[in-house]
Amino acid sequence: MNVLITTDFSKNARNAVCYALSFFGNVDAQFHILHVENNLEQAPFLEDTSTAASITVENNTATNKLERLKELLIKKKLAVPSKISLHFEQKKFIDVIREKVETLSIDFIAMGTKGASALKQSTVGSHTTDVITRVKCPVFVIPEKATYQPPKSVVFPTDFNSIYQSKVLRTLSHILLLNKAELSVLYVSKKNEELSLQQKKHKRAIRAYLKYLPHNFHFTVNSTLEEALQVFLESHNISIIAMSAKNINLFQHLLFHPELEKISYPERLPFLVLHE
């Protein structure tokens, strides 16, 4: 397994690296830690020698920071040296991610966030959205207050209006098996009404795929999904929120919700975004 972890050397990025290494620590995984800068866009021809010299210094600084980060991870016994590869690139962020996913056969991407309030207006937020929408690879979005504990339960919010391709459910099943976790499929409705025939069909398809894995279905009535999800998380020992990338608008709504005094999960629970 190959895991790509992005870092900008911030506190939340370091937390994401530690979380990812802990999460995949029990499998044979190679961790690729990546730092990307866009200095070449600012000075594409390097005509100014002072600019070129400045970029050289920054390159050396970034390389040193990556090395120090690796030393910290080894010191914390999160991985052995041979399992950590360091990468530094100066290109457009999304182009680098696509290239690494292809050339390194990446199975999962892990990215840190600064919490919903900062994420709404941050470069990290735009990078996260870009990766989720433009790179066909499962993405862990790890908030700054996430603390790793072996996950025992994963929630999968759905409206049963879409049929999920086998790749989405296969990746989700892999995560469940990896951690011996249980899946809670959560359906939220604004009214207490019966599922349509199509929704029932899609629900049966999910149940059939998961028949050999521990899972359960939950139905709740609430005016908003984010409030329903918050209530559900408070009453269940949920470790990860999993969603399909086809529901990107729903993902953004859940993660960027403004009423932070009421909604706390975007700052403490990782999101796993699954691609078809």
Side-chain angles (χ1 to χ4, degrees):
M1 179 184 293
N2 288 290
V3 181
L4 180 66
I5 313 170
T6 64
T7 181
D8 60 1
F9 307 117
S10 62
K11 181 178 179 181
N12 62 285
R14 184 167 63 250
N15 181 60
V17 174
C18 293
Y19 188 100
L21 265 65
S22 298
F23 187 90
F24 293 105
N26 293 326
V27 299
D28 184 15
Q30 185 71 30
F31 300 100
H32 301 273
I33 302 177
L34 170 68
H35 176 66
V36 181
E37 292 184 359
N38 289 325
N39 286 335
L40 290 182
E41 290 185 339
Q42 300 170 8
F45 302 108
L46 297 181
E47 294 176 349
D48 186 337
T49 56
S50 63
T51 301
S54 176
I55 291 177
T56 300
V57 172
E58 290 180 14
N59 291 354
N60 292 335
T61 300
T63 301
N64 291 337
K65 287 182 177 180
L66 282 170
E67 291 291 350
R68 289 199 298 271
L69 177 58
K70 180 176 180 178
E71 291 173 2
L72 175 65
L73 298 173
I74 295 170
K75 185 176 181 179
K76 287 177 172 288
K77 298 182 179 180
L78 292 174
V80 297
S82 61
K83 292 297 183 181
I84 300 177
S85 300
L86 304 177
H87 305 265
F88 173 59
E89 298 286 351
Q90 285 188 310
K91 298 178 184 177
K92 288 184 178 180
F93 185 85
I94 194 66
D95 291 341
V96 174
I97 298 297
R98 284 172 167 167
E99 176 185 313
K100 296 300 182 184
V101 167
E102 181 177 354
T103 60
L104 299 175
S105 301
I106 297 298
D107 298 291
F108 289 92
I109 300 171
M111 305 179 68
T113 70
K114 298 179 180 179
S117 59
L119 189 58
K120 291 169 65 177
Q121 300 177 335
S122 71
T123 303
V124 175
S126 63
H127 281 168
T128 302
T129 301
D130 278 349
V131 171
I132 290 171
T133 56
R134 301 170 64 184
V135 181
K136 300 297 183 181
C137 184
V139 182
F140 265 109
V141 182
I142 304 169
E144 59 180 342
K145 295 183 181 180
T147 302
Y148 176 76
Q149 293 180 344
K152 296 303 179 184
S153 187
V154 178
V155 65
F156 185 63
T158 180
D159 55 13
F160 294 122
N161 284 324
S162 300
I163 187 72
Y164 296 107
Q165 300 298 320
S166 60
K167 185 177 180 181
V168 169
L169 296 177
R170 184 169 63 250
T171 304
L172 185 56
S173 299
H174 180 66
I175 292 296
L176 297 175
L177 289 169
L178 184 64
N179 296 279
K180 299 180 180 179
E182 179 181 65
L183 179 67
S184 295
V185 182
L186 177 63
Y187 172 71
V188 180
S189 177
K190 294 183 178 181
K191 299 179 181 179
N192 189 7
E193 56 188 13
E194 188 177 358
L195 296 177
S196 68
L197 292 177
Q198 184 182 48
Q199 287 176 309
K200 289 180 179 179
K201 178 182 177 180
H202 295 164
K203 180 179 178 180
R204 287 195 299 270
I206 294 176
R207 189 190 299 276
Y209 196 96
L210 299 172
K211 64 180 178 180
Y212 297 117
L213 295 171
H215 68 279
N216 47 70
F217 289 85
H218 298 267
F219 171 77
T220 185
V221 177
N222 199 302
S223 59
T224 64
L225 175 57
E226 59 272 19
E227 290 182 6
L229 184 57
Q230 179 70 37
V231 171
F232 185 83
L233 295 174
E234 290 174 352
S235 59
H236 296 75
N237 187 26
I238 301 296
S239 303
I240 296 171
I241 302 170
M243 298 187 67
S244 170
K246 68 167 58 177
N247 295 328
I248 182 60
N249 292 333
L250 180 59
F251 164 79
Q252 289 178 308
H253 184 64
L254 291 176
L255 190 57
F256 303 158
H257 194 277
E259 298 181 21
L260 293 178
E261 69 278 5
K262 296 170 59 178
I263 309 298
S264 64
Y265 62 80
E267 295 189 337
R268 61 183 180 85
L269 285 183
F271 277 72
L272 172 60
V273 185
L274 306 165
H275 279 274
E276 297 183 345

